[in-house]
Each structure stands twice: as structure tokens, then as C-alpha cells.
């Protein structure tokens, strides 16, 4: 699964890496080292003219038909193997896809009597792009735009920690994933392969990341495991 990640690259790098059309910084854009479900996260969408832009979402997709927003708390991930058939996700897969930019993600491994957190990122420290879906939900008093992150089978590196990992797209796949005219789920299946292990690295980090209220560089700093 993917239940915690970070985004701490600077805005200039973000714009260049994803080919964004941005006239001014998005509100509240600050480095984040411990992003958790139900929090506001940045996504990248593409309009009909092909221009990519940043958009804020609540992490945890709320289907448009939901009676209340609380269902989103359970919808932080969507399995790529079944996303095309699940009522909560199938329309978003066809019409509302996005990228979720990330500096890396966290996973935990049972060690002794506890769990040791690890931070996984690219070896070259370039940003990652998670495959995401988004939805707009209208409640009695508010409209919430929310998202989910697709997951796939873990590669050989992440499999040491967990059997699932986020679907990570390569830059050559961004255009097709964001193209609003591509509405056949069958054309997207090849994107769901595990990201190559040899492009990633992982390091043990402090247990401070276990608490989603904790922020700062200490969440991603390497620690020695005894």
C-alpha cells in the first residue's frame, strides 16, 4: 500500500520535472516530510488544451455518490488489478486521472517487537510520480475534491517490507496518463508494472514519522538500526 509519503522538492524543480504551466505558486506550498491520509496533497492535472497544472486534493477519494465524506478515509489506495471494475474508482480511471508528485514514500517492516520505518526514493533523488485518480463530491455544505493513489505488486526492493507499492509512472507515460481523451482502461494496463528496483533506494528512518503530526527533515533522515 501507500499510506505515507513526502514532497520536499522546491517549486522550480517541480515545474521543470512535470512540465507545469504555472503563473504563480499554489497556496500553502511548503516542503512536507510526513504526508498522511485525509490531509491536503498536491496533484497534477491536465486541461483539454494539454496544459498541466497543480491542484489541491484531500487524500482519500470520496465517490460522487457517497452519502458522506467519511468513506474517503478508507479510499487512500486503489488496487490497479481491480480499479477498472470497482464502482468507487472506475469512472475516475476513465475520466479523472492525475499525478501525485512525491520525493519518496514510507513503508514499515516488523523487526523485533516493533516496526521499523523506511523511506524509499529514487537513487538520483528525482521526484516520483504516483498514478492517481480524483473525484469531486458535493455535500450539503461543501464541495470536496479528493484523490487516491494506485498500488501494484511490490518490486524486489520494496518486497522486503511489504507486498504492495504505489504505481510509479515514468516521464514518458505522463502524457497518456493525463490525456482526457484516453478513456479505455485497457490502454493503461501496461503502466501498472512495478517500478524498477534498480532505480530506487531505501533507508531506515526515525520512528518519529509514525506520528502524522510530526514534520521536518528528521522524518526522512537515515538512522542506524541496531
Amino acid at each position: 500500500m501507500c499510506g505515507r509519503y513526502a514532497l520536499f522538492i522546491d517549486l522550480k524543480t517541480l515545474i521543470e520535472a512535470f512540465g507545469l504551466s504555472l503563473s504563480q505558486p499554489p497556496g500553502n506550498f511548503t516542503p512536507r516530510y510526513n504526508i498522511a491520509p485525509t490531509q491536503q496533497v498536491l496533484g497534477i492535472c491536465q486541461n483539454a488544451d494539454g496544459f498541466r497544472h497543480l491542484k489541491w486534493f484531500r487524500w482519500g477519494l470520496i465517490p460522487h455518490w457517497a452519502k458522506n465524506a467519511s468513506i474517503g478515509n478508507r479510499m487512500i489506495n486503489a488496487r490497479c488489478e481491480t480499479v477498472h471494475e470497482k464502482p468507487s474508482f472506475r469512472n475516475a480511471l476513465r475520466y479523472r486521472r492525475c499525478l501525485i508528485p512525491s520525493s519518496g514514500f514510507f513503508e514499515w517492516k516488523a523487526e523485533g517487537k516493533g516496526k521499523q520505518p523506511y523511506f524509499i526514493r529514487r537513487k538520483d533523488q528525482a521526484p516520483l510520480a504516483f498514478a492517481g485518480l480524483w473525484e469531486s463530491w458535493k455535500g450539503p455544505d461543501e464541495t470536496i475534491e479528493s484523490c487516491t493513489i494506485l498500488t501494484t505488486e511490490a518490486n524486489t526492493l520494496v518486497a522486503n517490507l511489504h507486498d504492495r507499492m504505489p504505481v510509479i509512472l515514468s516521464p514518458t507515460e505522463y502524457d497518456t496518463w493525463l490525456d482526457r481523451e484516453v478513456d479505455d482502461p485497457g490502454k493503461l494496463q501496461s503502466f501498472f508494472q512495478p517500478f524498477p528496483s534498480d532505480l530506487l533506494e531505501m533507508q531506515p528512518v526515525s520512528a518519529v514519522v509514525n506520528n502524522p503530526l510530526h514534520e521536518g527533515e528528521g522524518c526522512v533522515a537515515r538512522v542506524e538500526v541496531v
Side-chain angles (χ1 to χ4, degrees):
M1 62 179 297
C2 179
R4 206 75 65 81
Y5 71 97
L7 178 62
F8 47 82
I9 58 176
D10 60 82
L11 186 60
K12 182 176 182 292
T13 301
L14 188 67
I15 292 171
E16 292 175 350
F18 294 100
L20 297 172
S21 301
L22 192 67
S23 57
Q24 60 183 16
N28 298 321
F29 181 79
T30 58
R32 294 291 312 281
Y33 295 89
N34 192 11
I35 300 172
T38 74
Q39 294 178 355
Q40 290 293 302
V41 302
L42 272 180
I44 296 170
C45 298
Q46 185 167 288
N47 64 20
D49 296 324
F51 291 101
R52 298 176 189 168
H53 58 278
L54 292 170
K55 191 178 181 72
W56 288 102
F57 297 108
R58 186 174 110 163
W59 185 11
L61 188 140
I62 308 167
H64 70 89
W65 43 259
K67 293 183 178 180
N68 61 69
S70 63
I71 190 175
N73 301 344
R74 308 192 303 272
M75 302 285 186
I76 65 169
N77 293 151
R79 295 176 66 94
C80 69
E81 297 89 347
T82 57
V83 66
H84 63 285
E85 61 190 20
K86 295 294 185 180
S88 299
F89 304 124
R90 60 191 179 197
N91 283 339
L93 178 66
R94 295 183 64 186
Y95 305 118
R96 289 176 292 280
R97 298 184 298 273
C98 63
L99 303 175
I100 306 296
S102 168
S103 298
F105 60 99
F106 298 94
E107 196 50 76
W108 282 257
K109 181 180 182 180
E111 295 183 354
K113 296 182 179 180
K115 289 187 175 182
Q116 171 63 49
Y118 287 81
F119 185 61
I120 301 106
R121 63 183 176 187
R122 284 187 62 119
K123 288 180 178 177
D124 60 8
Q125 299 189 31
L128 299 171
F130 300 152
L133 309 176
W134 69 276
E135 188 65 85
S136 182
W137 177 81
K138 297 183 186 299
D141 303 310
E142 61 181 339
T143 297
I144 300 175
E145 294 187 323
S146 59
C147 69
T148 191
I149 295 171
L150 272 68
T151 65
T152 187
E153 176 185 354
N155 61 24
T156 55
L157 177 71
V158 179
N160 293 299
L161 310 176
H162 200 279
D163 61 357
R164 305 291 294 179
M165 67 179 291
V167 172
I168 301 172
L169 302 177
S170 65
T172 58
E173 296 169 329
Y174 296 170
D175 277 334
T176 302
W177 183 256
L178 293 174
D179 190 342
R180 296 165 63 176
E181 294 187 2
V182 177
D183 59 4
D184 179 1
K187 294 181 179 180
L188 305 171
Q189 293 301 309
S190 63
F191 295 175
F192 299 155
Q193 298 301 311
F195 196 73
S197 294
D198 60 352
L199 297 181
L200 298 175
E201 63 182 9
M202 67 180 186
Q203 63 187 34
V205 295
S206 170
V208 299
V209 75
N210 294 350
N211 186 335
L213 297 179
H214 290 161
E215 264 290 351
E217 296 181 15
C219 292
V220 299
R222 175 185 287 275
V223 298
E224 295 300 322
V225 177
V226 180

